[in-house]
Amino acid sequence: MSRFVDRVTIHVTAGNGGHGCSSVHREKFKPLGGPDGGNGGNGGSVRLVVDPQVHTLLDFHFRPHAKGTNGKPGMGDNRDGATGEDLILKVPDGTVVLDADGKILADLVGAGTTFDAAQGGRGGLGNASLASRARRAPGFALLGEEGQSRDLVLELKSVADVGLVGFPSAGKSSLVSVLSAAKPKIADYPFTTLVPNLGVVQAAGDIFTIADVPGLIPGASMGRGLGLEFLRHLERCAVLAHVVDCATLEPGRDPVSDIDALEAELAAYRPALAADHGLGDLADRPRVVILNKIDVPDAAELADLVEPELVQRGWPVYRISAVSRTGLRELTFALAKMVADYRAAQPKAQPRRQVIRPVAVDDSGFTVVPDPAVEGGFIVHGARPERWIAQTQFENDEAVGYLADRLNRLGVEDELKRLGAQPGAPVTIGAMTFDWEPTTPMGEDVPLTGRGTDVRLDRSERIGAAERKQARRARRSRFEDGDVHE
Ligand SMILES: Nc1nc2c(ncn2[C@@H]2O[C@H](COP(=O)(O)OP(=O)(O)OP(=O)(O)O)[C@@H](O)[C@H]2O)c(=O)[nH]1
Ligand SMILES: [Mg+2]
């Protein structure tokens, strides 16, 4: 029996998007055939998928880092880069996903249930996709976005069929060790068991699992002892079995009062996931009472004494000894039958194809706030402007011009103006701070340019047709004047 790992922190990183390509189509006699740079491929995401074949989180314990494949960059000739492959992490049924702060993000129940752990970065557009009427041959492409990266905590509640409930040293671990191949630690001091052990029990054709959990003491539902830790593991058990120590010499304890004390704890426990999949309250779970240690003479007598009262409560009672291995056969078959009955009574679990995604946030807006660290500076917040910054090749003037246009269209410029930003003010968006140069000198309209460089970045030095004509005329007149001989 492998170690039963039930809580692990994993670091998931999705693949980065591939960069877009900036390329110009070339062909014989057609040297400038228009932009043909392809788009970068999207990065691969990381997904958690419930697989009924997986029973522990052990793998994650050894390999806590998971990364999706990067998207490939776009290429010339309109070839798009390949999409990165998604990384599928198989998790056991009943895995609870929490963020690093302990907030529950998802409870994965049912084969095939999927959780998007990290979203792959979008591929950047190539210059072919960026071409428009106003910008016929863009000399730049967009960069691929980085893949999402985050830490997640995976928690597995033992999804055992039978959960053992009992005071410390009642013999729970001993029982699991004789019923299954599991070898939990057994000792005569309380709280020997600190993490639950799962055992697989075979009863003729039936197989069921049994969870040996830490001992329970009064006050556990308030967190005493290993309290809540213990109760958490019982939430998904189909059958609860009280393991009672009939040989205890502690004053004030006897089988009936032990059971009553533990029942009170079960009743007081508010399952964190009570409503989630119709398991109902712990109180509704079928019970069985196991009177242990009857190899001790006094214990057998005590068992005789209390058995009628327990039977009267409607609970099946079994007398066993884990040490001398008596009464185990009947107990095993009885538990197998209770589990089978319970399973049959449950609505059939449909294989679910549910996909759980982080709630989509509205990313259309943006806000501009004064920068507390810099006098006269501003910070622009917003998913889109921040994404655009990440997509921009800042060494390329055209790309910067395109970014400026996008920000302008979104209204960032207007908002900066409204807040009284002065030209040259340091403006921070995402990881980038730059001096704000209004793209439109206040109040003036800039005509759209044709292809190539944006006029606003670089005033054109090219000579217009009118100027050429004038120059020709000037040359001709000089020639007629004979100046040409000089
Ligand atoms: N005589 C006798 N002793 C037993 C029997 N079953 C368990 N014990 C003893 O009781 C002590 C406690 O047994 P464990 O199996 O560790 O008890 P536990 O309920 O798992 O205890 P915690 O893990 O501390 O909650 C050990 O010394 C066992 O040898 C039994 O049937 N007869
Ligand atoms: Mg134990």
Side-chain angles (χ1 to χ4, degrees), residues 11-16 43-47 65-71 84-89 118 120 147-148:
H11 318 280
V12 288
T13 309
N16 300 331
S45 298
V46 180
R47 302 213 151 84
H65 293 271
K67 189 168 185 328
T69 323
N70 293 340
E85 234 173 274
D86 286 352
L87 180 65
I88 306 288
L89 302 178
Q148 201 188 2

Side-chain angles (χ1 to χ4, degrees), residues 235-237 274-282 284-285 342 346:
E235 270 183 54
R236 291 189 187 188
C237 296
D276 63 357
H277 12 81
L279 284 177
D281 243 317
L282 285 176
D284 307 333
R285 233 54 66 74
Y342 183 85
Q346 294 305 299

Side-chain angles (χ1 to χ4, degrees), residues 172-173 185 192-193 212-213:
K172 300 177 295 297
S173 301
K185 186 172 169 191
T192 310
T193 304
D212 163 36
V213 289

Side-chain angles (χ1 to χ4, degrees), residues 256-274:
V256 175
S257 67
D258 276 8
I259 290 175
D260 287 344
L262 299 191
E263 280 294 331
E265 293 308 320
L266 295 182
Y269 178 58
R270 289 271 135 257
L273 308 163

Side-chain angles (χ1 to χ4, degrees), residues 53-295:
Q53 305 299 317
V54 178
H55 298 288
T56 68
L57 296 172
L58 201 65
D59 276 354
F60 298 106
H61 199 69
F62 296 121
R63 258 170 283 130
H65 293 271
K67 189 168 185 328
T69 323
N70 293 340
K72 290 274 185 312
M75 286 159 291
D77 205 13
N78 288 312
R79 283 170 300 163
D80 291 343
T83 304
E85 234 173 274
D86 286 352
L87 180 65
I88 306 288
L89 302 178
K90 295 175 182 173
V91 297
D93 199 358
T95 299
V96 179
V97 187
L98 304 100
D99 64 12
D101 304 325
K103 194 174 134 246
I104 294 182
L105 301 177
D107 184 8
L108 307 180
V109 182
T113 302
T114 301
F115 177 75
D116 275 356
Q119 197 65 45
R122 279 178 242 200
L125 292 181
N127 69 338
S129 302
L130 290 167
S132 65
R133 274 169 57 86
R135 191 179 271 109
R136 285 175 198 276
F140 68 100
L142 297 186
L143 299 177
E145 271 180 81
E146 275 191 13
Q148 201 188 2
S149 179
R150 59 175 166 169
D151 287 357
L152 294 173
V153 176
L154 303 185
E155 223 178 76
L156 178 65
K157 301 183 174 213
S158 35
V159 195
D161 296 312
V162 177
L164 298 182
V165 185
F167 271 77
S169 295
K172 300 177 295 297
S173 301
S174 305
L175 181 58
V176 168
S177 76
V178 293
L179 290 185
S180 72
K183 289 285 161 270
K185 186 172 169 191
I186 297 167
D188 61 356
Y189 53 84
F191 299 114
T192 310
T193 304
L194 297 175
V195 292
N197 301 292
L198 210 54
V200 179
V201 185
Q202 216 147 4
D206 288 328
I207 289 184
F208 64 92
T209 52
I210 186 164
D212 163 36
V213 289
L216 181 60
I217 52 170
S221 59
M222 313 289 289
R224 257 192 86 200
L226 294 172
L228 293 171
E229 191 70 11
F230 159 89
L231 287 162
R232 230 159 39 85
H233 292 292
L234 286 178
E235 270 183 54
R236 291 189 187 188
C237 296
V239 175
L240 299 184
H242 281 286
V243 178
V244 191
D245 182 351
C246 290
T248 180
L249 298 171
E250 268 180 57
R253 275 185 57 189
D254 68 76
V256 175
S257 67
D258 276 8
I259 290 175
D260 287 344
L262 299 191
E263 280 294 331
E265 293 308 320
L266 295 182
Y269 178 58
R270 289 271 135 257
L273 308 163
D276 63 357
H277 12 81
L279 284 177
D281 243 317
L282 285 176
D284 307 333
R285 233 54 66 74
R287 303 278 203 275
V288 51
V289 177
I290 300 170
L291 300 176
N292 190 25
K293 307 196 186 179
I294 56 156
D295 55 295

